[in-house]
Amino acid sequence: MRKFPKTIPFLISLEHLPITETNLKQMAMDWEGSGFPFLRPAVVLDWKTEPQALSHSSLEIELILSLGFWEGLCGWILPNQFSAFKKNHLTESLRNELFSQKRKTKPISIFYLWKKFGKSPLSLVWVNLGFIKMRMELDLESNFFSNALPLSFEGEKKLYFRIGHLKTIHYLFSKKEFKFPYPKFAEVYIKTRDKHSDESIGKVFYTFIGYLLEKNTDEYLLPYWGFELTLPESIRKQIPEEIWNLTNSPAPSLWREDHLFENELEFRTVYQVSTSSLNHLR
């Protein structure tokens, strides 16, 4: 007599979730404590998280699903279709639980704001700071800027990259010192024209749009260092790797950058650390 399957193993995963790995791992540990109730009657055997760039992460869950008689019969008659149906159902259950958890927000306390401010970078020290300007076709979402219009020149956008090695990050009560070889770090700007609330237009600026590191796979570290404004993945994948080798860099020196909360290049000046020189790169 033919025996119908009584269990089916599954491996379900969600990639590029807009959650840091630390938060995702804590959510998975909470689910593990209650036995992953939203996936029952499946039993979770193991799970793991992986960090990805731009504060994203992935979650992979290994589980086994027990089948009743009729489910076992369906699984025997149409094994591929039945397995795909069950896997999609489990994946949707995971996705729904994940994003319902993400929507559960807690009131922002004064302590939280104070802690957040204490971890926000106040100034940077660069080594071998340089810059490049380039024009390229860049696809931007229509609502990417709320108060500026990206300028196009023969269909291309003008970008400005400030690139160097990151030596020190200063915070309110502490600082982070990097050891040689320092990470290659960049600020990205795009040429825009101001758009006022009355729909009139104003001056032209290079508007700051985000930070990036030489290795895309390392950029999950940026939020841990306090740099929350990272390039969206849709833009990051369009940036050519050649920018790291084309920098117009002056003689080796240290440069200090303050006013990190400003939006335009004109206001984010950097100064040589040496007090003997008044020169600064704009």
Side-chain angles (χ1 to χ4, degrees):
M1 180 179 179
R2 185 181 297 275
K3 292 184 178 180
F4 302 142
K6 296 182 178 180
T7 60
I8 300 181
F10 287 107
L11 186 67
I12 59 176
S13 63
L14 294 176
E15 300 290 331
H16 209 65
L17 296 168
I19 308 170
T20 62
E21 192 208 7
T22 301
N23 293 338
L24 182 60
K25 184 176 291 186
Q26 183 59 54
M27 292 168 66
M29 291 173 65
D30 293 341
W31 294 334
E32 185 178 41
S34 57
F36 289 86
F38 55 91
L39 293 176
R40 292 172 183 164
V43 176
V44 174
L45 304 177
D46 195 13
W47 60 270
K48 67 177 181 178
T49 60
E50 293 286 345
Q52 294 178 342
L54 304 174
S55 301
H56 288 59
S57 54
S58 65
L59 173 63
E60 185 177 279
I61 296 181
E62 180 184 349
L63 45 80
I64 188 167
L65 177 64
S66 298
L67 304 178
F69 173 79
W70 293 111
E71 289 182 319
L73 177 61
C74 291
W76 175 66
I77 297 174
L78 299 169
N80 295 334
Q81 294 87 335
F82 181 78
S83 179
F85 171 77
K86 285 295 184 180
K87 184 172 183 178
N88 288 339
H89 176 72
L90 291 168
T91 303
E92 281 302 310
S93 298
L94 173 60
R95 182 180 288 109
N96 292 337
E97 180 66 19
L98 182 69
F99 288 100
S100 68
Q101 290 286 325
K102 189 171 181 286
R103 287 191 292 267
K104 294 176 184 177
T105 57
K106 297 180 180 180
I108 298 177
S109 64
I110 296 178
F111 174 76
Y112 170 81
L113 293 174
W114 178 255
K115 184 178 179 181
K116 181 178 176 63
F117 182 69
K119 291 185 176 180
S120 297
L122 298 181
S123 65
L124 309 177
V125 176
W126 302 71
V127 182
N128 301 338
L129 177 62
F131 66 91
I132 60 171
K133 292 182 180 180
M134 64 182 300
R135 286 170 51 168
M136 62 177 289
E137 293 184 4
L138 184 66
D139 293 329
L140 295 174
E141 296 180 6
S142 58
N143 60 348
F144 188 79
F145 294 104
S146 59
N147 58 352
L149 295 171
L151 299 181
S152 292
F153 304 85
E154 298 179 354
E156 297 179 326
K157 307 291 191 301
K158 282 190 175 183
L159 297 178
Y160 185 109
F161 296 85
R162 177 182 280 165
I163 300 175
H165 293 86
L166 188 57
K167 185 177 186 296
T168 310
I169 306 173
H170 289 274
Y171 304 95
L172 183 62
F173 302 111
S174 62
K175 66 179 180 179
K176 181 173 182 59
E177 293 271 6
F178 295 94
K179 296 182 180 179
F180 184 84
Y182 310 113
K184 277 191 176 181
F185 180 72
E187 296 176 346
V188 188
Y189 304 81
I190 186 170
K191 199 165 192 176
T192 63
R193 185 180 291 275
D194 275 354
K195 180 177 66 175
H196 303 148
S197 58
D198 62 357
E199 298 302 321
S200 62
I201 56 177
K203 295 182 178 181
V204 172
F205 292 99
Y206 273 100
T207 299
F208 177 68
I209 58 174
Y211 300 100
L212 67 156
L213 294 172
E214 182 178 22
K215 293 184 178 179
N216 194 355
T217 53
D218 290 341
E219 286 174 358
Y220 72 92
L221 293 169
L222 290 172
Y224 291 107
W225 298 342
F227 300 109
E228 296 187 358
L229 187 54
T230 53
L231 284 180
E233 182 62 23
S234 59
I235 297 178
R236 180 62 177 89
K237 65 184 180 182
Q238 299 179 67
I239 303 300
E241 295 297 324
E242 289 77 13
I243 64 168
W244 305 101
N245 302 320
L246 300 175
T247 309
N248 178 18
S249 181
S253 58
L254 299 181
W255 298 80
R256 183 183 179 95
E257 178 179 3
D258 300 311
H259 310 297
L260 300 182
F261 301 116
E262 300 291 351
N263 292 325
E264 282 83 32
L265 181 65
E266 179 176 335
F267 305 118
R268 292 167 69 96
T269 55
V270 292
Y271 303 90
Q272 277 194 302
V273 173
S274 172
T275 57
S276 63
S277 174
L278 298 178
N279 296 327
H280 63 276
L281 181 65
R282 296 181 72 93

